[in-house]
Amino acid sequence: PAAAGRFWHVTDLHWDPGYDAAAGAGQVCPSGGSRAVPAAGPWGSYLCDAPWRLLASAARAMKSRLQRPDFVLWTGDDTPHIPNEKLGEEKVLDIIENLTSLIKDTFPDTKVYAAMGNHDFHPKNQFPGKEHRIYNRTAELWRPWLNDASVPLFRAGAFYSEKLPSPRTRGRMVVLNTNLYYDQNDETAGEEDPGGQFQWLEETLTNASRADEMVYIVGHVPPGFFEKKRGKPWFRSGFNERYLKIVQKHHRVIAAQFFGHHHTDSFRMFYSDTGSPINVMFLAPGVTPWKTTLPGVNNGANNPGIRVIDYDPDTLQVLDMVTYYLNLTHANMMALTQKEEFPTWEEEYRLTEAFQVHDGSARSMQTVLERISKDPRYLQRYYEFNSVSYDLTPCEEACRVDHVCAIREVDFTKYNECVKTSSSASAVISGWLLLFCLLLGLLSPQRAL
């Protein structure tokens, strides 16, 4: 095989321009909302979105770890978690422009494939399936990265597809605007195929197959469920079903899928009708450490993460992934004692080593899923990586069910069945254990009280 290629995947930067570590506990960051932020350091806080220093530090770490990637995937969400009335269209575009410049300055001669996230719009989430000022302005900002054919497509719906830059690959990148399918998007609620993106995707994949190309699909909001909140999907159900059917139908040309939005590190499996693993979607951790306010999520913060993917340029097969992270607590503590200019982003883990698999193929990732599902040591390892080594508490049975079912079942109905059968199975096991203990207690010789 050809020498491996490598690329970066970075997502969910969520810059909070109002972050001020020196402010009083209630005023540290607008993205903290009404939450008091006691431990705010120069590199950020788990209750806030990213200060500029954190983003500059991530960019610097990317440059020092891999200065000349084949390309960069940047899957959106640039603005802070604050109400619409505190943002406005100009402010949103200004933030996108600042982060575009940061990435451009870090990798001046590198192709970047950028996707819009649900926060990269005003009002947030309300992406239309037709031309819009924000699409036009963003296309201008990203013009150096887009080829001529991509610009009109982007203006019309913020999606596009291009051949990979390296002459030694038959690869193609398909960048989607899955914000069109988000259940918080009222603009597209009644539509069958917003922006004609599904039809375009099918045609693009069919043409790729005819041209003997392999494809990476990239986007922000993923289909399926959030592994940290039971029963929480992002897509409207009709859109989820359609996406799933397209992947099943065209899986032979899709080498892998790369998405963000969760801020957590996870993956999703896709199966044929007979249950064989046919595709995998990798969900990369976010750079923002922000603790989600989604009701029902327990302690949903994370350490900032960035990721390098090793791949085979001939087949686009994912060979390995290395995730680097910043231990935010440690970085802030070090800043108190030593004024180091930039904290160290460490290697968190390498996929093949951590889970003892050959590569990142669908078959290997199925093995990872089986290990997580059956072996408590692998489950715990996966769980700690899920929050980028932030939440180190044990992942108990209910937690195991949430993660395993979210990884295994992207389909709404099958996910619900998975949760129901797994939960009732564990309830039955606990019931038998309880009965067993009671019986043991009755049979054991009674001690005098």
Side-chain angles (χ1 to χ4, degrees):
R6 300 169 81 200
F7 62 90
W8 280 107
H9 182 189
V10 60
T11 193
D12 293 272
L13 277 66
H14 287 286
W15 175 34
D16 188 344
Y19 184 95
D20 175 12
Q27 282 87 43
V28 172
C29 60
S31 52
S34 56
R35 305 184 281 195
V37 180
W43 301 109
S45 156
Y46 293 113
L47 294 175
C48 301
D49 276 319
W52 185 261
R53 286 183 72 171
L54 174 61
L55 301 181
S57 146
R60 187 187 160 104
M62 288 169 78
K63 195 173 181 170
S64 72
R65 290 285 185 178
L66 176 62
Q67 191 170 2
R68 302 198 69 83
D70 294 353
F71 51 88
V72 174
L73 303 184
W74 174 27
T75 51
D77 264 12
D78 304 342
T79 67
H81 293 84
I82 60 177
N84 284 320
E85 50 275 18
K86 291 196 174 160
L87 275 167
E89 207 167 287
E90 278 311 310
K91 207 161 185 184
V92 167
L93 285 162
D94 192 48
I95 288 172
I96 296 173
E97 181 170 5
N98 274 287
L99 296 189
T100 300
S101 299
L102 177 66
I103 291 173
K104 233 182 234 146
D105 295 346
T106 309
F107 298 107
D109 308 314
T110 302
K111 180 82 169 180
V112 176
Y113 297 98
M116 296 188 84
N118 56 296
H119 280 262
D120 304 328
F121 204 82
H122 182 79
K124 61 177 68 92
N125 311 325
Q126 306 310 317
F127 287 71
K130 55 181 187 288
E131 190 151 339
H132 190 279
R133 279 186 312 279
I134 295 180
Y135 293 167
N136 290 339
R137 296 271 301 273
T138 306
E140 285 310 307
L141 293 175
W142 294 350
R143 188 70 187 84
W145 299 330
L146 296 167
N147 69 25
D148 293 342
S150 298
V151 175
L153 263 174
F154 195 99
R155 287 169 172 268
F159 53 85
Y160 61 98
S161 155
E162 299 190 5
K163 279 180 76 70
L164 285 179
S166 162
R168 59 187 190 134
T169 177
R170 294 198 316 280
R172 173 170 292 277
M173 192 67 70
V174 172
V175 180
L176 297 179
N177 177 6
T178 51
N179 307 298
L180 298 174
Y181 311 137
Y182 193 17
D183 61 11
Q184 303 295 304
N185 185 345
D186 302 324
E187 289 286 315
T188 57
E191 298 178 31
E192 194 121 310
D193 182 8
Q197 182 173 230
F198 280 131
Q199 189 188 339
W200 171 85
L201 175 59
E202 293 235 42
E203 287 165 6
T204 303
L205 294 171
T206 301
N207 292 339
S209 173
R210 287 186 187 135
D212 208 19
E213 294 172 339
M214 288 301 284
V215 169
Y216 283 149
I217 296 181
V218 173
H220 180 71
V221 182
F225 289 79
F226 186 28
E227 71 278 2
K228 286 183 83 74
K229 178 170 175 165
R230 186 169 293 189
K232 171 66 187 154
W234 308 111
F235 281 23
R236 294 184 189 273
S237 68
F239 295 149
N240 195 79
E241 200 175 327
R242 180 115 187 237
Y243 186 91
L244 201 51
K245 284 202 161 73
I246 290 174
V247 172
Q248 285 173 326
K249 181 177 169 189
H250 297 275
H251 71 91
R252 282 179 193 82
V253 295
I254 306 168
Q257 308 167 64
F258 301 95
F259 282 68
H261 185 60
H262 287 195
H263 302 190
T264 49
D265 177 351
S266 194
F267 64 100
R268 297 293 175 263
M269 295 300 303
F270 294 78
Y271 301 96
S272 66
D273 290 338
T274 54
S276 312
I278 52 174
N279 222 264
V280 62
M281 174 182 283
F282 295 100
L283 303 175
V287 175
T288 183
W290 183 78
K291 184 175 180 175
T292 179
T293 52
L294 194 66
V297 177
N298 183 30
N299 200 6
N302 55 279
N303 278 310
I306 53 181
R307 173 173 284 170
V308 169
I309 292 106
D310 297 354
Y311 72 107
D312 179 334
D314 284 340
T315 60
L316 293 202
Q317 163 83 276
V318 173
L319 301 174
D320 213 343
M321 294 194 318
V322 183
T323 306
Y324 299 96
Y325 81 116
L326 183 68
N327 181 328
L328 192 59
T329 307
H330 183 250
N332 282 334
M333 267 168 45
M334 292 296 284
L336 287 173
T337 53
Q338 308 155 327
K339 285 277 175 268
E340 55 170 346
E341 198 167 339
F342 280 99
T344 312
W345 289 64
E346 302 160 74
E347 179 174 320
E348 186 193 22
Y349 75 101
R350 179 177 280 278
L351 173 73
T352 53
E353 284 172 10
F355 294 102
Q356 296 294 298
V357 286
H358 290 303
D359 52 33
S361 63
R363 184 164 292 178
S364 291
M365 295 313 291
Q366 178 61 25
T367 302
V368 175
L369 171 56
E370 281 160 13
R371 292 196 169 135
I372 291 169
S373 161
K374 298 188 176 93
D375 185 330
R377 288 166 310 176
Y378 278 112
L379 171 67
Q380 189 58 30
R381 181 173 286 184
Y382 155 82
Y383 182 70
E384 293 180 5
F385 293 154
N386 180 251
S387 65
V388 199
S389 303
Y390 163 78
D391 178 1
L392 308 180
T393 59
C395 181
E396 309 284 6
E397 183 55 26
C399 161
R400 185 189 75 86
V401 170
D402 287 347
H403 285 266
V404 166
C405 291
I407 294 168
R408 185 180 287 143
E409 305 298 358
V410 174
D411 177 81
F412 282 18
T413 311
K414 287 185 174 165
Y415 170 87
N416 290 327
E417 280 167 14
C418 177
V419 168
K420 217 161 69 189
T421 54
S422 308
S423 304
S424 52
S426 52
V428 166
I429 292 166
S430 333
W432 277 111
L433 272 173
L434 189 65
L435 195 63
F436 181 65
C437 296
L438 285 171
L439 281 172
L440 265 184
L442 288 174
L443 295 174
S444 61
Q446 295 294 310
R447 289 201 185 89
L449 292 174

